[in-house]
Every structure is written in structure tokens, then in C-alpha cells.
Amino acid sequence: MGLRQLRIFTEVYQEKSITKAADKLHIVQPSVSLAIKELEEEYGIKLFDRIGRGIFVTETGEAFYEYASHIISLYDEMENKMKSPSAPFQINMGSSITIGCFIVPHIIARFRDIYKNGEINVRIQNSKQIVQGVMKNEIDIGVVEDRVEDDKLISIPFLKDQLLFVCNNSNQLTKKNKIELEDIARQPLFMREPGSASREIADGLFKANQIKINIAWESISNQSIIHALKENEGITVISHKLVEKEIAEGSLYVLPLYPEEFKREFILIYHRNKYLTPAIKSLIGLICEEKKESRHIKTDFLNL
């Protein structure tokens, strides 16, 4: 096995096509097929299923891609660093939508004040997609909402958050002193898309209590939900950090749900096999500083 076969495999994986991979690599299709066959024979595994004219990655192929992408990334990092130590670098960061709204922008600004010769690219998606990106080495580090249970990932909590059930001030529930889940379930719900952390938590809560809900509005945008809620009767579950202004000015009302209180943590994640460059370590340090007691969660790898 060599880097050539690994590069060919990763291109086929990403393009989901031998033809497209061959065109991108500027080699003939039989060479691509041969490289995949050599890898499969080397390890006695099946990387792709060939169905009709299409190819589909197998479960083993998914696991193989994780290793292959990290090996190639580390090799390229070594090549660039040894040949051009002062060359500009690039970091790919992923953030959940909520964290990306109010934490990431000033972290990036602080990072760019420290490192002038590099670039940091940020991908804003829901937490589930960010985790997948880190697993596939498409993202160097990610910040997501709530814990991720996977032995392949390093997880560092860096900030606490609280989820609230909120509505506008004309909602009839604002007149009640104690709100229960059944009261909320009878209202139209304005929710984030499946895969977002707040949606997963809310869905889990209602399912655990065997309560059916009516989702009237679904969006990937927190702001669209907030604006819709101001004008329409309904309820959403959202981070208090996103609605502090609206609550203070009185356009949104926090429902006192009894007996539940939703607290969670924002988590920094990266792959256990990820090589942490000095720049990545510095970025991790800046993220951890969001927590006042950040010195308590810094570990050996943060000796910058």
C-alpha cells in the first residue's frame, strides 16, 4: 500500500464515481479501478459496492476513509512544513449554528490578530454535520452543542448554556405560573431542523414523556424562528444566549416549565488522530478561554 492508492481511494470516495475521480486525478479509469482492487486485496475488505453504473461506499469503506484522510493530511502537512516552513497555513473549523452566531466571530478575529500568515475557514452547520466532518477529517476542529459520545473524538467542554421555551407576549400561556410539557405540546412548535442539538434535546424530552407534538415551523435559521415567533402564536426551544435581547426588551417571554430545566455545555471536538499544529493549538486555547475557569480544562497538549 502507498500514498498513491490512498489518494485515489479518497478521490473515489469523495466523487462517488471512478470516472470523475480519474478525470480529477488526470489518470485513466483502469488505473483507478486497479488501485481500489489492490487496497481491497491487501486488506481482504470491500470498499465499494458496485450496483448498476453506480458505486456505493461500504461500512468498511467509511472506516477506511477516516484513516486514509488522516494519513494523507498528515503527510501533506509534513511536506509543506519541511519544504516551506514560513508558508501560509490553513485551518478548517466547524461550528454549530448557535455557537457560530455569537462566539465564533470574535474568536476568529482574535486568532487573526495573532496569526497573520494563515487562513481559517469556518463551516457553519448543525452539530450532527460538524461531528461527521471532524470524523472524516474535512474539519480540523469543531464546536458543537452538548457532548459527543465517540471514542475517536477528543471532547472538551468550554462553556455552559441553557435552553429555554419561549413565546411572544400575546400567548395565553404567559398568564400561567406553572407550565407543563402537555401545555407546550398543545401549541404550534417552531423548531430547528433534525440534527441540530436543540431539536434533538427537545424531541428526546417529548418522546421520553410519550407526548405528541405539532411542528408548525422548521428552519435551519435561529433568526427566522425568532422573527416568526414574534409575529405568530407558538413556542420554540432555543439557547438563552440567542434571545437575551428579545427577552430584555419584552418581545419574547420565557415559559416557566415545571419541573424541567435544560442546561447543556458547548463542546470543542477534534479527532483523536489529528496532528495539532501550533496554530491549531492556539485556536483551541482561544476557544477554551471562553470559560472563565479555562485553566482547569487545559491539558498537556495546550502547552503553547
Side-chain angles (χ1 to χ4, degrees):
M1 184 192 72
L3 281 171
R4 179 176 179 276
Q5 287 99 325
L6 292 182
R7 289 191 189 279
I8 291 173
F9 164 75
T10 57
E11 287 296 338
V12 174
Y13 176 95
Q14 292 167 4
E15 297 294 335
K16 300 296 186 289
S17 165
I18 290 177
T19 301
K20 291 180 180 179
D23 290 342
K24 191 171 181 180
L25 293 168
H26 305 292
I27 59 178
V28 295
Q29 292 183 39
S31 294
V32 174
S33 299
L34 178 60
I36 298 300
K37 183 180 179 182
E38 288 173 343
L39 287 173
E40 291 179 330
E41 290 180 349
E42 173 77 15
Y43 293 103
I45 58 176
K46 187 86 167 173
L47 296 172
F48 298 100
D49 284 324
R50 295 154 179 82
I51 303 175
R53 295 183 178 180
I55 63 170
F56 303 87
V57 66
T58 64
E59 184 176 347
T60 304
E62 290 284 359
F64 193 84
Y65 178 79
E66 287 183 28
Y67 289 107
S69 61
H70 282 281
I71 291 170
I72 292 172
S73 175
L74 186 58
Y75 178 82
D76 290 342
E77 179 77 30
M78 179 191 69
E79 285 277 288
N80 294 333
K81 191 66 177 177
M82 295 300 102
K83 292 180 178 179
S84 304
S86 60
F89 62 85
Q90 177 176 296
I91 297 176
N92 295 314
M93 179 180 178
S95 171
S96 69
I97 297 173
T98 296
I99 301 175
C101 286
F102 64 92
I103 293 180
V104 170
H106 78 265
I107 288 177
I108 301 304
R110 290 178 62 196
F111 179 83
R112 285 177 173 155
D113 285 340
I114 300 171
Y115 287 91
K116 307 293 186 181
N117 68 327
E119 187 60 46
I120 180 165
N121 300 321
V122 181
R123 177 191 299 185
I124 305 293
Q125 295 176 310
N126 66 44
S127 293
K128 184 176 181 180
Q129 292 170 316
I130 296 303
V131 171
Q132 292 173 346
V134 172
M135 294 291 286
K136 294 180 178 180
N137 200 38
E138 298 167 355
I139 296 174
D140 296 314
I141 62 172
V143 283
V144 297
E145 301 150 37
D146 225 341
R147 293 188 177 275
V148 179
E149 301 297 334
D150 195 302
D151 293 339
K152 296 177 182 177
L153 298 179
I154 299 294
S155 300
I156 304 174
F158 67 92
L159 196 65
K160 293 187 182 298
D161 184 39
Q162 184 171 359
L163 291 173
L164 304 173
F165 281 101
V166 299
C167 62
N168 65 39
N169 279 331
S170 64
N171 194 297
Q172 59 182 350
L173 290 182
T174 61
K175 301 175 182 179
K176 297 187 65 173
N177 294 326
K178 187 172 71 174
I179 309 296
E180 297 183 352
L181 276 177
E182 287 79 4
D183 298 319
I184 291 175
R186 286 190 283 268
Q187 294 266 331
L189 292 183
F190 293 25
M191 302 291 284
R192 283 282 306 280
E193 80 287 1
S196 66
S198 60
R199 174 65 177 274
E200 296 295 322
I201 292 172
D203 283 350
L205 175 66
F206 287 113
K207 287 179 181 178
N209 289 274
Q210 298 181 330
I211 297 175
K212 293 183 178 181
I213 57 176
N214 170 32
I215 298 178
W217 187 291
E218 185 176 281
S219 174
I220 63 172
S221 168
N222 290 308
Q223 289 305 311
S224 70
I225 291 176
I226 291 172
H227 289 308
L229 200 61
K230 289 180 180 180
E231 304 294 332
N232 298 275
E233 181 164 332
I235 297 173
T236 191
V237 56
I238 195 168
S239 167
H240 84 283
K241 297 181 184 298
L242 294 176
V243 289
E244 286 178 325
K245 177 183 176 183
E246 287 76 11
I247 292 171
E249 68 186 16
S251 58
L252 289 181
Y253 179 85
V254 179
L255 294 171
L257 182 65
Y258 178 84
E260 302 288 347
E261 186 178 45
F262 297 105
K263 291 184 178 179
R264 62 179 180 176
E265 290 182 301
F266 293 154
I267 308 294
L268 182 151
I269 61 172
Y270 61 89
H271 200 284
R272 188 174 295 276
N273 296 331
K274 186 68 183 179
Y275 171 67
L276 301 180
T277 65
I280 293 178
K281 288 182 180 181
S282 180
L283 180 58
I284 291 174
L286 290 175
I287 294 170
C288 289
E289 286 175 8
E290 290 297 311
K291 182 176 180 179
K292 291 181 180 179
E293 300 82 14
S294 61
R295 62 184 179 275
H296 297 311
I297 62 174
K298 289 185 179 180
T299 50
D300 291 339
F301 71 83
L302 285 175
N303 294 325
L304 307 179

